[in-house]
C-alpha cells in the first residue's frame, strides 16, 4: 500500500467501502507513519491505536456484511483522521498541550467526534498544539514544538500545528484543529495545505476545550478541496448541546464543487498593509490576476476596521480565556500543587506550575481587561469594535461574494524567531483574526512558494454559512494551479 | 461640627434592603439534564456540564425561565423581552467552572413590589429592584474533627436560582421579617420554591444602614450574611442596627463591609477582608444566546398564574361569607386554602368548617408537625365528621373524641377504618335522636321517680337537671340533649 500517502480521503473512502481496501490495513499504515514520521515531527501527543483498530475492523465488517451494497457508503469510511488534543475523546487523555491537565481523561466524546465516527472516520491520534491553543508557532506546547514538514527549522504555525503537520506529511489525509484566531488557516498556510475556519456555529463546540468561546470553532485541514468539503460535511451538524450551534439545512458541499461559478471577489486594501512580506504580496497579487483572467470579477475595496481586528481579537479572546481557564484550579482533575497548604496557596502553586508563560500572559491580560474600572475601556470597547467590523463585513458582502488576501504577512518563520516577542507573534494573525470576530467562514489555500521554497497561503473569506462558495473557489483554484 | 454630647441625643432609624436567593423546584438543573434532588449520594447527580468539565456547554432550561417569569409577574414586575446571562468570576472549590452563570446588567425581571403586614397592621409595600436567574454552586463539606480535608459535593451545583433584590424600603427588622414571610408565601403559591430557609432553599442576605431620623440620604451600609431562618434575619438585623447606632452615637464611623451572623453567639462578625474583596469581572456569557422572551410567551405564563393569597382571601370573604381573620388564616398556604375548599365542597357550612379547621385540625397538624399533604386525614373525612355533628348524630364535644381517634388510627395503621362513621360505630358513640325511643326512656324515668316529679311540679325547677342526668345515664350519654329537653318539658309541664 505504498500509495497511501498520496491517496485522498475521497479515494480511501471509496476503496474501503467497496471492499477494495481494508480499513484495518489503512489504519495500520497511518499508525505506522504516525509512529515514525509523526514522531520526528512531534505531531502527536497520543496515538489512539486500540480504538482505531477496533473501529477499522468494525468498518471492514460492515462493508463485508453489506456486499449487496444496500446501504449508502459512509462518506469517510476507513479514512484515518487526527484530531487536535483539545477535542474530547473518551479513553484517551486530553492535554491541550498543557501540564496542568496531566492525567485528565474526558468521560465523554465531543459531538464532532461522534459525528466523525458516524461518518466512518478512524481517529488514529491526538495532535500536539500550542498550550490551550495559545500560540502561532506551536512553541508553547508543554510537549515541545511540532516541526514543519517543509523544513526542520521552520515552525508549523499554530496553534493547530500538529494537525497541520500530520496532513502535510501525508500521515492522514484529514485532520481537525481548532480556530480562535487563525489557528488553522495560519498553520495551513505555513505547511502548504488547505484549512477551513467554518462559520461560527457550523460545527458544535461541545467537547472542544474552550479558549475564547465566542470565537472558537473546530476546523478541518486537508490537502485538497474535496477532502476539505467531505471533512466539513461530516461534522457540520446542528447540535442541541451547543446553544451557539446553527440550526439550518447544510447543502451537499462536495456535489456543488464542480459548479463553474464566476465570483465577485473583493480585495480589501487593508490585507496588503505594512508588514506584509514583498514575496508573499507578489505571489498573492499574481494569484488574484489569474482569477481575474479566469473571469472572476475583482474589485478593490477598503475595510478600515480590519486594522483594529488584532487589538479587538486579543482583548476579547484573552478576556474569555481568563474565565474559561479558571476551572484549572487543582481541585477536580489535572495536577495539584501545594495541596497541603492553604486554598489560596494551592490555587496559586497549581496554576503557576501548571500553566506556561504564554497562557499566564493571556490570563493576566484577560483578567485585566475585565477588571472593574477597565472593563469599559477595553472589553467593552473591543466588543463595540467587533460589532462594527461585523457591519463592515456585512456591507462588503452585499457587493462581493468573497474577500481575498494573504493568510499571513510572512511565510513560516524559524523556531525562536518570535517566541520572545509576543507582539510580533500576535501580528502574524493580523489578516486572519477579522473572520473570527465576524464569525465568517474563511479558507486558506496554497499559493506558490517563496524563493527559499516556503509555502505561501492565500485566504478567501465568505459570508456566514457561505462554505459552499469557499469550496467552489478552492476547487477552481486547484485547477488553475 | 456636632459634638459627641449632641450626637447622643439624635434618634436613628434603620434602612434595610434584602437580597433573597430562591431555589427553583425545576425537575432538572438550569443548564443540564441532571435531576434536582436532595440527600442523595454526593456527586451522584452530576454530568460533564455541571461538573464544569473542559469542553462541556450549558443549555438553558425553559422551565426555570418560566418559573422566574411566574414570580416576576406575580409581584407585578416587568419580564424583560431581552435579557443576558453573564459570568460572575471567582475561585472556590464548590464552583467547578471558576465562574457562576448569572445575570448582571440585563436581568430577566425588573421592578414589582411585595405587600406585607407587620402583625395585624396596615399593609405596607417594599419595591423590588430586580429578579434574575442564576445557577447554584455546590457544597463544601468542611472537615469535622479528625479529618483534615474539605470535601466537595456538586449535586446542588447548577440548580436553578432566582435572586430577588429589594429596594431599601424596609424600616425595621420586623418589616424585614414580614416581607420574608410574604415572599415565601408567594413563592409557595406559585409552586416555584419550597421556601424552606432551614434547608437552604431560600437564602437571605441583608443590607442595612442607619441614619438620623429626618435625614434623606442613606448612611453607610453593611451586608449581613449567613442567617438561616427568618427569625435569624430579624435577630441579626436588630443586632447590627444596635451596633451601628451605638457606634455613631459614640462618634464613630461605619465601615462598609460584610458581616457573618453567628446564630450560636448571636453576634455578627466581620468576614476576613480577603473573602469579601471580590472583583467579579462580569461579562456576557458567550456560551449562551441572549434570552429572548416574546409577549406571547409572557401572556401564556400570566394566563396560568394561580390565584395569589390576597385574591383568594377576597374570594373566600365573598363566596363563603367567613370572617376576614379566618380568610387570612385559611389562605396562609395554598394547600390549606385548597383543603378548606375541598371540605366546603362536601360540607355546606363554611363558617363551621372554617372554625373547625382553624382549631382542631390545625392544632393537630402543629402537634404532629405535619403539612396538609403529609396528614393522612383528608378533606372527605373532616367533612364527614362535620356532617355527623350537623345532622345531630354526634355532639360537638364527641366530635373531638372522634377526631382524635381518627387521627390516631390514621397515624398508626392506615389499613384500619379511620372514617368518622367507622370510628363512631366502633366506639358506640352514636347519639340517640330517635324521638320514640327517647320518649320511652323519658316515660320510664318519670314513672320511676314520682316524688321528684311531684317536687318539680311544685316549683322545685332545679330538679330539671336531675331528669336530664337520669336520661343520659340510661342512654350512656348518647341521647340528643335537645330532644330530651323538649320531651321532658312536655311531660313534666304543669
Ligand atoms: Zn449536570
Amino acid at each position: 500500500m505504498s500509495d497511501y500517502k498520496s491517496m485522498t480521503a475521497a479515494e480511501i473512502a471509496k476503496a474501503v467501502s467497496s471492499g477494495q481496501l481494508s480499513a484495518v490495513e489503512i489504519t495500520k499504515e497511518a499508525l505506522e507513519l504516525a509512529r515514525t514520521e509523526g514522531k520526528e515531527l512531534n505531531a502527536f501527543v497520543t496515538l489512539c491505536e486500540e480504538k482505531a483498530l477496533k473501529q477499522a475492523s468494525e468498518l471492514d465488517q460492515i462493508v463485508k456484511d453489506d456486499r449487496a451494497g444496500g446501504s449508502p457508503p459512509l462518506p469517510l469510511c476507513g479514512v484515518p483522521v487526527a484530531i487536535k488534543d483539545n477535542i474530547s475523546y473518551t479513553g484517551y487523555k486530553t492535554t491541550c498541550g498543557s501540564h496542568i491537565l496531566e492525567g485528565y481523561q474526558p468521560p465523554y466524546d465531543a459531538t464532532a467526534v461522534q459525528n466523525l465516527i458516524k461518518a466512518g472516520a478512524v481517529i488514529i491520534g491526538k495532535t500536539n498544539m500550542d498550550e490551550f491553543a495559545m500560540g502561532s508557532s506551536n512553541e508553547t506546547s508543554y510537549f515541545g514544538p511540532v516541526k514543519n514538514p517543509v523544513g526542520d527549522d521552520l515552525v508549523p504555525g499554530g496553534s493547530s500545528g500538529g494537525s497541520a503537520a500530520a496532513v502535510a506529511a501525508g500521515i492522514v489525509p484529514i485532520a481537525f484543529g481548532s480556530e480562535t484566531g487563525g489557528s488553522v488557516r495560519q498553520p495551513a498556510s505555513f505547511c502548504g495545505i488547505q484549512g477551513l475556519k467554518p462559520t461560527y456555529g457550523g460545527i458544535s463546540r461541545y467537547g472542544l476545550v474552550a479558549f475564547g468561546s465566542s470565537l472558537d470553532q473546530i476546523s478541518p485541514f486537508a490537502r485538497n478541496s474535496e477532502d476539505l468539503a467531505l471533512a466539513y460535511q461530516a461534522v457540520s451538524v446542528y447540535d442541541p448541546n451547543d446553544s451557539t450551534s446553527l440550526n439550518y439545512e447544510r447543502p451537499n458541499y462536495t456535489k456543488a464543487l464542480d459548479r463553474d461559478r464566476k465570483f465577485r471577489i473583493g480585495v480589501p486594501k487593508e490585507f496588503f498593509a505594512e508588514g506584509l512580506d514583498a514575496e508573499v504580496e507578489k505571489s498573492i497579487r499574481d494569484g488574484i490576476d489569474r482569477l481575474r483572467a479566469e473571469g472572476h470579477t475583482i474589485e478593490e475595496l477598503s475595510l478600515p476596521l480590519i486594522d483594529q481586528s488584532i487589538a479587538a481579537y486579543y482583548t476579547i479572546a484573552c478576556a474569555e480565556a481568563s474565565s474559561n481557564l479558571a476551572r484549572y484550579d487543582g481541585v477536580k482533575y489535572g495536577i495539584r500543587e501545594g495541596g497541603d497548604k492553604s486554598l489560596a496557596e494551592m490555587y496559586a502553586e497549581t496554576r503557576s506550575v501548571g500553566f506556561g508563560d504564554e497562557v499566564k500572559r493571556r490570563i493576566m491580560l484577560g483578567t485585566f481587561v475585565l477588571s472593574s474600572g477597565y472593563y469599559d475601556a477595553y472589553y467593552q470597547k473591543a466588543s463595540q469594535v467587533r460589532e462594527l467590523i461585523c457591519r463592515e463585513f456585512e456591507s462588503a458582502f452585499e457587493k462581493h461574494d468573497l474577500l481575498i488576501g494573504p493568510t499571513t504577512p510572512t511565510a513560516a518563520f524559524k523556531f525562536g524567531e518570535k517566541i520572545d516577542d509576543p507582539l510580533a507573534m500576535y501580528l502574524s494573525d493580523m489578516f486572519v483574526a477579522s473572520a473570527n470576530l465576524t464569525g465568517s467562514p474563511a479558507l486558506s489555500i496554497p499559493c506558490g512558494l517563496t524563493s527559499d521554497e516556503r509555502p505561501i497561503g492565500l485566504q478567501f473569506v465568505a459570508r456566514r454559512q457561505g462554505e459552499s462558495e469557499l469550496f467552489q473557489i478552492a476547487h477552481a483554484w486547484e485547477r488553475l494551479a | 461640627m456636632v459634638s459627641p454630647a449632641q450626637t447622643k441625643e439624635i434618634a436613628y432609624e434603620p434602612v434595610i434592603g434584602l437580597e433573597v436567593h430562591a431555589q427553583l423546584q425545576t425537575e432538572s438543573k438550569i443548564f443540564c439534564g441532571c435531576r434536582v434532588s436532595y440527600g442523595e449520594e454526593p456527586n451522584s447527580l452530576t454530568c460533564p456540564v455541571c461538573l464544569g468539565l473542559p469542553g462541556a456547554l450549558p443549555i438553558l432550561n425553559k422551565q426555570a425561565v418560566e418559573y422566574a417569569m411566574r414570580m416576576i409577574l406575580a409581584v407585578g414586575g416587568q419580564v424583560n423581552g431581552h435579557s443576558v446571562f453573564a459570568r460572575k468570576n471567582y475561585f472556590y472549590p464548590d464552583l467547578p467552572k471558576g465562574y457562576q452563570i448569572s445575570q448582571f446588567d440585563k436581568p430577566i425581571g425588573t421592578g414589582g413590589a411585595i405587600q406585607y403586614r407587620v402583625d395585624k397592621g396596615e399593609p405596607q409595600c417594599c419595591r423590588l429592584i430586580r429578579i434574575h436567574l442564576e445557577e447554584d454552586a455546590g457544597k463544601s463539606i468542611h472537615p469535622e474533627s479528625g479529618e483534615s480535608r474539605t470535601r466537595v459535593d456538586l449535586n446542588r451545583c447548577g440548580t436553578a436560582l432566582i435572586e430577588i433584590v429589594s429596594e431599601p424600603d424596609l424600616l425595621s427588622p420586623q418589616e424585614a421579617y414580614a416581607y420574608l414571610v410574604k415572599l415565601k408565601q408567594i413563592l409557595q403559591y406559585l409552586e416555584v420554591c419550597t421556601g424552606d430557609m432551614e434547608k437552604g432553599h431560600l437564602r437571605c442576605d441583608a443590607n442595612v444602614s442607619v441614619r438620623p431620623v429626618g435625614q434623606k440620604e442613606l448612611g453607610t451600609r453593611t451586608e449581613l450574611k449567613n442567617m438561616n431562618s427568618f427569625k435569624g434575619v430579624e435577630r441579626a438585623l436588630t443586632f447590627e442596627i444596635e451596633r451601628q447606632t451605638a457606634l455613631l452615637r459614640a462618634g464613630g464611623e461605619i465601615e462598609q463591609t460584610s458581616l457573618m451572623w453567628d446564630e450560636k453567639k448571636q453576634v455578627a462578625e466581620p468576614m476576613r477582608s480577603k473573602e469579601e474583596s471580590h472583583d467579579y469581572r462580569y461579562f456576557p456569557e458567550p456560551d449562551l444566546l441572549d434570552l429572548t422572551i416574546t409577549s406571547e410567551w409572557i401572556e401564556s405564563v400570566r394566563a396560568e398564574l394561580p390565584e395569589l393569597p390576597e385574591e383568594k382571601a377576597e374570594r373566600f370573604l365573598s363566596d363563603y361569607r367567613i370572617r376576614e381573620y379566618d380568610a387570612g388564616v385559611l389562605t396562609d398556604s395554598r394547600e390549606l386554602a385548597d383543603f378548606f375548599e375541598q371540605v366546603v365542597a362536601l360540607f355546606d357550612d363554611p363558617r363551621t368548617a372554617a372554625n373547625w379547621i382553624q382549631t382542631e385540625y390545625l392544632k393537630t397538624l402543629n402537634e404532629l408537625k405535619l403539612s396538609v399533604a403529609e396528614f393522612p386525614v383528608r378533606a372527605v373525612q373532616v367533612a364527614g365528621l362535620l356532617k355527623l355533628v350537623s345532622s345531630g348524630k354526634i355532639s360537638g364535644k364527641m366530635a373531638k373524641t372522634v377526631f382524635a381517634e381518627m387521627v390516631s388510627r390514621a397515624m398508626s395503621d392506615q389499613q384500619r377504618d379511620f372514617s368518622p362513621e367507622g370510628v363512631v360505630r366502633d366506639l358506640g358513640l352514636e347519639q340517640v335522636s330517635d324521638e320514640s325511643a327517647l320518649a320511652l326512656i323519658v316515660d320510664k324515668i318519670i314513672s320511676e321517680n314520682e316524688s321528684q316529679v311531684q317536687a318539680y311540679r311544685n316549683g322545685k325547677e332545679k330538679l330539671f337537671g336531675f331528669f336530664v342526668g337520669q336520661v343520659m345515664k340510661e342512654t350512656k350519654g348518647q341521647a340528643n340533649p335537645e330532644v330530651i329537653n323538649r320531651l321532658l318539658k312536655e311531660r313534666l309541664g304543669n
Side-chain angles (χ1 to χ4, degrees), chain A residues 69-243:
Chain A
S71 38
L74 297 169
L76 293 176
C77 191
V79 175
V81 163
I83 58 175
K84 191 175 178 177
D85 207 17
N86 59 354
I87 300 173
S88 305
Y89 185 34
T90 47
Y92 300 97
K93 59 190 182 177
T94 292
T95 68
C96 292
S98 182
H99 176 40
I100 206 160
L101 271 169
E102 199 163 295
Y104 170 70
Q105 274 200 18
Y108 72 104
D109 284 340
T111 304
V113 165
Q114 294 174 22
N115 286 324
L116 275 177
I117 292 169
K118 262 188 228 159
V122 175
I123 297 168
I124 65 145
K126 309 210 53 196
T127 57
N128 199 353
M129 57 184 281
D130 277 301
E131 185 178 8
F132 283 103
M134 296 174 184
S136 304
S137 64
N138 233 288
E139 290 164 286
T140 73
S141 171
Y142 178 67
F143 303 101
V146 176
K147 290 177 194 160
N148 192 327
V150 173
D152 267 5
D153 55 342
L154 296 176
V155 303
S159 65
S160 313
S163 288
V167 171
I171 299 167
V172 283
I174 288 172
F176 287 85
S178 68
E179 273 226 12
T180 305
S183 281
V184 160
R185 283 167 289 156
Q186 189 253 23
S189 162
F190 281 14
C191 294
I193 58 171
Q194 296 187 25
L196 168 76
K197 196 289 283 187
T199 306
Y200 183 76
I203 302 175
S204 168
R205 291 185 295 119
Y206 194 79
L208 168 69
V209 180
F211 159 14
S213 310
S214 73
L215 302 152
D216 295 342
Q217 273 294 291
I218 291 176
S219 305
F221 291 99
R223 293 189 295 265
N224 66 76
S225 58
E226 188 185 12
D227 285 1
L228 199 63
L230 274 175
Y232 181 60
Q233 190 98 56
V235 291
S236 182
V237 179
Y238 167 65
D239 180 11
N241 287 324
D242 174 1
S243 306

Side-chain angles (χ1 to χ4, degrees), chain B residues 144 374 411:
Chain B
E144 307 268 324
E374 290 161 343
M411 295 301 295

Side-chain angles (χ1 to χ4, degrees), chain B residues 32 34 47 50:
Chain B
C32 62
C34 290
C47 72
C50 57

